[in-house]
Amino acid sequence: MKKLLSLLALAMTLCVVTACNDEEVPANGYIETTQSGASTFVLKGYESVAQGFSVLKPAGFTTPYYIKDKAFYGAAFDFIPSSEKRLEDMTVVPENGNWQPTAAIVPGQTYWARYAGGVYKYIKFRVAYVDGNNVGIEYVVSDFTTARPNSNSNMESSDQGAWGLEIPHLTTGNFFAPHYVTFEGNTYMNLAIEWNAALRHSNWVAFSFDKNTGRDRVSRGNAWMWDPAIPATEGGVEESNHKSDGYDKGHLCASSDRLYCTEANDQTFYYTNMSPMMNKFNTGFWSGLEEIVRNWGRSCTQGTFDHVYVTKGGTLNNLLKNFTATYKGNDNVLPVTDANGLTKGGLAVPAGYFMAVLAEKDGKFQALAFYVEHSDKLNTKPTTNELKACVLSIDELEKKTGIDFFCNLSDEVENDVESAVDTNLWAW
């Protein structure tokens, strides 16, 4: 009897110092690590999303990768298998390898994942096991990064605001002016402007919506002023340049697009955000386009999208020249332009206006564009069909404007979302 009790006591002691202590059981099960400092994770969704689903998004990555049809997938990721068996042996990133948008899941296989942010970032990982719906992963985020050929990470601007997905490829010689605000303890790039000093007009204005910046909290302001981020000597505009010309000071980023805080709204009243618009166009058809895009952006607060990225502007490569409008403006003056497409105040008047829209949900992207002629003869209350008639692909809009939109996406995702458009993916 004493011997039996002694054996029982020994067993209990061993239990305490080994795996019977729940705190010593790894959170992701028994995943062997093959490199010091490696992390582990369980991706769910191998057999069925209905049985559970999870995504892997390490610190510093804004979008995840996950399991899709028994393969690794992520909208901002490419993958390439490795011949090594252990992560510690994967010492050289295959920069020029055969990167693919998906990779089949194979137990024991090692892989490189390439993430397209402002620069390419890399993760090396290993499939430790496949168990039903679960895939055990061991991974290490590499310190190695490489420049992306077409992204703004290669531009002279050191401001990482240029890496935002809403920012087109920057034009050498123009002024890139990102504008930030601090709201509820977080810093946001509220809007960014590329200023064309020669034409005294923005090439484009870009901004984005998420669950915070899509909120409607404050009233419209009236803080008209020159943009403090750009020297006034570089094509500066004053109120007098907009006076008695028959045109509205038309917002590019609408005041109603930035109502999450007062400072954000005030920045929409910079003169760099203004374009001379005919009143019936500005308050009519253009306003209708703005409303539908704003609805998509505001839907981030309900979780329809995670982010909606918007770039808006006028066609500086195509101005209204020797033009006379049909209707007078609110100042009782008939809008006209000279042979160079300028108002009496010397401001360029685009012949058309555009919006490029990119939406993201769980790392999946969709995009479309609008182009509309600058006219005071359009319906002031456009129907859904009239709005849809202005839809075109991002590729088509790039040909019209000469602007490279959404260049900070990975090349594969950019090519996919910009080449075609499906209006059925959007709520009208």
Side-chain angles (χ1 to χ4, degrees):
M1 183 67 174
K2 289 182 179 180
K3 185 176 181 180
L4 179 61
L5 291 174
S6 297
L7 290 173
L8 181 59
L10 176 61
M12 292 178 66
T13 301
L14 290 173
C15 183
V16 170
V17 299
T18 56
C20 291
N21 186 342
D22 289 342
E23 293 181 357
E24 295 184 5
V25 177
N28 293 320
Y30 294 98
I31 297 177
E32 178 190 4
T33 56
T34 61
Q35 179 172 326
S36 176
S39 300
T40 62
F41 191 79
V42 175
L43 281 174
K44 297 179 179 294
Y46 184 76
E47 291 186 339
S48 171
V49 172
Q51 297 179 31
F53 182 73
S54 62
V55 301
L56 178 58
K57 187 173 73 171
F61 293 73
T62 57
T63 59
Y65 75 85
Y66 46 92
I67 297 172
K68 178 181 178 181
D69 299 328
K70 297 190 175 182
F72 296 113
Y73 173 82
F77 284 87
D78 297 312
F79 303 90
I80 189 169
S82 171
S83 60
E84 305 293 347
K85 299 301 181 184
R86 299 174 63 85
L87 297 191
E88 63 186 5
D89 296 328
M90 298 169 64
T91 58
V92 179
V93 175
E95 297 178 63
N96 300 315
N98 185 25
W99 294 92
Q100 297 293 322
T102 63
I105 295 173
V106 178
Q109 178 68 54
T110 57
Y111 308 79
W112 286 97
R114 183 180 70 178
Y115 170 77
V119 295
Y120 280 126
K121 299 180 182 180
Y122 299 90
I123 304 171
K124 53 182 176 179
F125 67 99
R126 181 180 65 90
V127 175
Y129 64 78
V130 176
D131 181 14
N133 199 47
N134 300 331
V135 178
I137 300 294
E138 175 201 8
Y139 71 93
V140 172
V141 177
S142 174
D143 293 332
F144 182 76
T145 62
T146 57
R148 294 180 50 216
N150 192 46
S151 78
N152 286 328
S153 62
N154 293 320
M155 305 299 289
E156 294 179 0
S157 173
S158 60
D159 194 311
Q160 293 189 11
W163 298 358
L165 293 186
E166 68 271 36
I167 306 299
H169 200 274
L170 301 183
T171 305
T172 302
N174 287 339
F175 286 84
F176 174 61
H179 295 281
Y180 297 89
V181 300
T182 299
F183 171 59
E184 295 184 343
N186 295 309
T187 299
Y188 299 91
M189 187 171 71
N190 182 49
L191 56 85
I193 292 168
E194 184 178 86
W195 179 248
N196 186 320
L199 290 175
R200 306 170 78 189
H201 194 290
S202 291
N203 269 15
W204 45 259
V205 177
F207 55 98
S208 67
F209 297 92
D210 62 18
K211 64 181 181 181
N212 292 316
T213 59
R215 291 158 66 183
D216 184 354
R217 296 180 62 255
V218 301
S219 300
R220 174 189 173 100
N222 193 35
W224 303 100
M225 62 181 292
W226 175 243
D227 191 329
I230 300 174
T233 54
E234 301 296 334
V237 175
E238 301 176 349
E239 183 68 21
S240 60
N241 297 115
H242 285 280
K243 289 295 185 183
S244 302
D245 62 1
Y247 294 93
D248 287 358
K249 295 193 294 287
H251 283 67
L252 294 176
C253 175
S255 169
S256 296
D257 291 336
R258 307 279 83 176
L259 294 178
Y260 63 97
C261 73
T262 298
E263 183 182 3
N265 187 259
D266 286 347
Q267 291 177 356
T268 70
F269 287 87
Y270 293 158
Y271 289 121
T272 51
N273 187 44
M274 300 302 130
S275 182
M277 293 185 186
M278 287 174 272
N279 175 259
K280 284 186 175 292
F281 174 85
N282 181 34
T283 62
F285 202 98
W286 181 248
S287 179
L289 280 179
E290 290 183 316
E291 183 177 4
I292 195 70
V293 172
R294 184 161 50 248
N295 288 342
W296 296 337
R298 292 245 174 99
S299 73
C300 291
T301 62
Q302 286 84 45
T304 302
F305 297 115
D306 294 332
H307 297 89
V308 173
Y309 304 94
V310 183
T311 309
K312 299 166 69 174
T315 56
L316 296 193
N317 62 340
N318 182 20
L319 302 180
L320 282 177
K321 299 180 179 180
N322 294 316
F323 171 76
T324 300
T326 303
Y327 300 97
K328 292 181 178 180
N330 283 338
D331 55 5
N332 203 35
V333 175
L334 193 65
V336 298
T337 63
D338 63 17
N340 295 313
L342 305 180
T343 68
K344 60 178 292 186
L347 304 180
V349 180
Y353 287 89
F354 62 83
M355 302 185 196
V357 186
L358 175 73
E360 179 264 327
K361 177 66 176 178
D362 295 332
K364 298 180 181 179
F365 293 89
Q366 60 190 61
L368 86 172
F370 294 100
Y371 174 81
V372 58
E373 292 185 359
H374 187 192
S375 170
D376 58 2
K377 298 178 182 179
L378 299 173
N379 188 354
T380 57
K381 294 183 178 180
T383 65
T384 297
N385 286 338
E386 287 173 325
L387 296 176
K388 287 184 177 180
C390 299
V391 170
L392 65 170
S393 71
I394 302 296
D395 281 345
E396 291 170 321
L397 183 61
E398 290 179 338
K399 292 177 182 178
K400 278 185 173 291
T401 62
I403 298 172
D404 182 1
F405 298 98
F406 309 131
C407 67
N408 293 318
L409 286 169
S410 70
D411 291 342
E412 292 77 9
V413 175
E414 183 180 5
N415 292 336
D416 182 45
V417 301
E418 293 188 357
S419 61
V421 60
D422 184 354
T423 57
N424 294 320
L425 296 177
W426 306 83
W428 298 86

